[in-house]
């Protein structure tokens, strides 16, 4: 029998609902502090991963870098991962345990020449990660080298998609991962891994962000969103035909007050950018291509006074014929940039989330020496 909804009954139900909601909010546990390790480009590589005839025909000028990345993979990458393992072990004994490691793309060098060799490179990269025993799931976004060369894209789908689905399972439950776009959450933060090499990614990001439920929004995108350094035309949606998509991406990031994590340029960078719609976001770019055991920061640029076309001087030999074009990029961007720092420094980064506070410790080369502690939350206020 249905009870008539009298005014007294309505007030009773409203009071009960309010008390129940109040109790729920009071009893909800606050988000616990945690930290994660952020790695930049790695370019895992071995000479035997390449069809040399294909390479000579299609990418002959890249043999030198392939030899260098193969050297780094053999001699220095194991030491970098040992250092990361030490950082994770120490953090796990504090109030900031590490639930995962996040890598921002170009996990492998690519340029293998056949799907078989690309699949082998991918499998051996994952074997290396597993053998490093980091003690935390290893997640990553797609970089351009990960899908460059004949057979690279299907090899990415065949080898990396199942692995990523497995690694993300503790954060999103059992789900088939069939795209380079995916999201996962931990405590009061949500992470969006954006496929910069899929035309459908921007629509995916817009829909995914509309469902965001977290206090903090992190977006991993391999190439920069905002240009920095000498390579000012290497940012996402940089071409004239893509300007509408670029504006849409900027507005999405600004509306979310996002922390954008990236790589691609192989340099350290932080900046704050405003948008035409009044939003604001922070960009943090890192590199993990450690070419020498003796690594120190160089080419340091700090402060808004450095966010001009003159910053291209950090790589004077990079495409001098495009200097005027690259300088012009900064003339357009600088009115929106509210903080800026740059350095040539590879290594690993530890990002800590403590309630509303987000900080990043930038470690030097193969060591656990901290070069900078960056208050990313404060940068959002710049």
């Amino acid at each position: 029998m249905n009870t008539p909804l009298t005014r007294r009954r309505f007030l009773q139900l409203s009071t009960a609902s309010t008390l129940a909601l109040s109790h729920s909010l009071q009893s909800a546990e606050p988000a616990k502090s945690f930290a994660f390790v952020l790695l930049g480009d790695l370019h895992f590589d071995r000479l035997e991963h390449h069809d040399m005839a294909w390479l000579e025909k299609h990418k002959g000028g890249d043999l030198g870098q392939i030899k260098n990345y193969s050297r780094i993979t053999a001699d220095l990458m194991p030491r970098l991962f040992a250092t990361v393992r030490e950082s994770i072990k120490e953090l796990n004994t504090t109030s900031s345990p590490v639930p995962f490691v996040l890598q921002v793309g170009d996990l492998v060098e690519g340029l293998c020449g056949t799907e078989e060799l690309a699949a082998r490179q991918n499998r051996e990269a994952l074997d290396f990660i597993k053998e490093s025993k980091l003690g935390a799931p290893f997640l990553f976004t797609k970089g351009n080298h990960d899908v460059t060369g004949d057979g690279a894209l299907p090899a990415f789908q065949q080898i990396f998609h199942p692995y990523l689905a497995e690694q993300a399972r503790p954060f999103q439950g059992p789900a088939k991962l069939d795209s380079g776009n995916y999201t996962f959450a931990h405590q009061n933060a949500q992470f969006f891994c954006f496929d910069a090499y899929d035309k459908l990614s921007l629509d995916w990001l817009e829909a995914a962000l509309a469902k965001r439920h977290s206090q903090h929004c992190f977006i991993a995108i391999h190439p920069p969103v905002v240009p920095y350094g000498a390579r000012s035309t290497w940012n996402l949606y940089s071409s004239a035909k893509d300007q509408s998509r670029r504006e849409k991406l900027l507005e999405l990031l600004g509306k979310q007050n996002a922390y954008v994590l990236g790589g691609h340029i192989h340099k350290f960078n932080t900046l704050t950018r405003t948008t035409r719609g009044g939003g604001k976001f922070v960009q943090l770019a890192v590199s993990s291509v450690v070419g020498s055991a003796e690594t120190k920061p160089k080419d340091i640029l700090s402060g808004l006074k450095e966010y001009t076309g003159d910053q291209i001087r950090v790589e004077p030999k990079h495409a001098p014929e495009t200097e005027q074009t690259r300088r012009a990029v900064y003339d357009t961007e600088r009115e929106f940039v509210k903080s800026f720092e740059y350095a040539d420094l590879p290594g690993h980064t530890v990002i800590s989330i403590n309630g509303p506070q987000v900080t990043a410790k930038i470690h030097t080369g193969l060591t656990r020496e901290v070069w900078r502690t960056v208050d990313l939350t404060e940068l959002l206020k710049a």
Side-chain angles (χ1 to χ4, degrees):
M1 180 176 178
N2 294 328
T3 302
L5 186 60
T6 63
R7 183 173 181 271
R8 177 178 293 181
R9 178 65 175 160
F10 174 79
L11 291 173
Q12 288 174 338
L13 291 172
S14 297
T15 302
S17 297
T18 301
L19 290 173
L21 177 59
S22 175
H23 176 75
S24 174
L25 292 174
Q26 291 173 7
S27 62
E29 289 187 14
K32 296 179 181 178
S33 301
F34 73 98
F36 65 94
V37 173
L38 180 68
L39 291 172
D41 299 38
L42 289 167
H43 293 266
F44 181 92
D45 201 12
R46 290 172 177 146
L47 285 175
E48 57 268 27
H49 293 162
H50 300 274
D51 181 326
M52 291 301 174
W54 180 92
L55 190 66
E56 183 178 353
K57 180 179 180 180
H58 297 282
K59 296 285 184 179
D62 289 341
L63 180 58
Q65 75 176 28
I66 286 170
K67 289 181 177 178
N68 188 45
Y69 287 137
S70 297
R71 173 189 66 85
I72 291 171
T73 298
D75 299 340
L76 298 170
M77 201 178 296
R79 295 172 63 181
L80 172 65
F81 271 63
T83 301
V84 170
R85 186 170 61 245
E86 291 173 9
S87 288
I88 293 173
K89 183 177 179 180
E90 180 178 293
L91 286 162
N92 282 339
T93 63
T94 70
S95 58
S96 296
V98 178
F100 59 85
V101 175
L102 180 60
Q103 194 266 338
V104 295
D106 283 2
L107 173 60
V108 297
E109 167 64 356
L111 300 172
C112 298
T114 70
E115 184 177 341
E116 181 182 7
L117 286 172
R120 176 185 174 183
Q121 184 178 71
N122 293 352
R123 282 193 297 267
E124 292 185 11
L126 296 183
D127 287 344
F128 170 81
I129 293 167
K130 294 170 187 175
E131 291 164 5
S132 296
K133 299 184 185 303
L134 296 179
F138 191 95
L139 295 156
F140 53 92
T141 195
K142 184 192 288 182
N144 58 306
H145 275 265
D146 298 322
V147 289
T148 298
D150 290 357
L153 180 56
F156 187 100
Q157 296 166 341
Q158 175 193 350
I159 306 301
F160 286 154
H161 280 180
Y163 175 81
L164 286 170
E166 175 191 337
Q167 297 296 292
R169 188 167 291 118
F171 312 103
Q172 59 177 208
K176 181 180 179 182
L177 193 150
D178 55 6
S179 167
N181 294 307
Y182 65 99
T183 181
F184 62 96
H186 184 73
Q187 296 292 350
N188 59 340
Q190 192 166 356
F191 298 80
F192 301 82
C193 289
F194 181 94
D195 185 344
Y197 309 98
D198 185 333
K199 293 180 180 180
L200 302 178
S201 294
L202 191 55
D203 290 340
W204 169 84
L205 183 64
E206 183 177 27
L209 288 174
K211 300 175 184 177
R212 175 190 161 196
H213 51 76
S214 61
Q215 180 179 15
H216 299 297
C217 176
F218 291 90
I219 302 182
I221 302 180
H222 178 65
V225 172
V226 186
Y228 61 89
R231 307 184 182 214
S232 63
T233 57
W234 282 31
N235 58 295
L236 185 61
Y237 302 144
S238 61
S239 67
K241 67 178 182 179
D242 278 334
Q243 286 311 294
S244 62
R245 290 204 287 175
R246 173 171 168 73
E247 282 301 318
K248 181 176 180 178
L249 175 62
L250 292 171
E251 293 301 328
L252 285 173
L253 299 176
K255 184 178 179 181
Q256 300 290 331
N257 291 140
Y259 299 106
V260 179
L261 311 175
H264 192 50
I265 308 295
H266 295 196
K267 300 294 188 290
F268 162 80
N269 163 250
T270 61
L271 57 78
T272 308
R273 194 195 191 277
T274 57
T275 67
R276 297 183 192 279
K280 189 182 293 185
F281 65 91
V282 167
Q283 176 174 279
L284 167 63
V286 295
S287 171
S288 295
V289 178
V290 185
S292 168
E294 303 299 324
T295 299
K296 299 294 180 184
K298 58 183 181 180
D299 296 333
I300 299 171
L301 305 177
S302 185
L304 282 177
K305 66 184 184 300
E306 299 284 7
Y307 197 83
T308 71
D310 287 341
Q311 67 180 285
I312 70 171
R313 71 183 182 273
V314 296
E315 291 184 78
K317 294 182 180 180
H318 174 71
E321 69 279 4
T322 66
E323 178 176 337
Q324 185 176 354
T325 301
R326 289 181 290 130
R327 284 181 175 274
V329 170
Y330 294 114
D331 293 337
T332 303
E333 281 290 310
R334 66 180 304 186
E335 69 173 293
F336 299 101
V337 175
K338 303 305 175 185
S339 73
F340 173 67
E341 189 166 23
Y342 168 100
D344 185 350
L345 179 67
H348 76 285
T349 295
V350 173
I351 296 183
S352 298
I353 295 95
N354 185 2
Q357 198 73 19
V358 180
T359 58
K361 289 187 176 181
I362 316 301
H363 294 260
T364 302
L366 301 176
T367 76
R368 297 185 61 217
E369 176 186 347
V370 176
W371 173 64
R372 286 278 193 280
T373 297
V374 183
D375 188 333
L376 297 178
T377 308
E378 196 63 29
L379 288 185
L380 269 180
K381 302 175 185 177

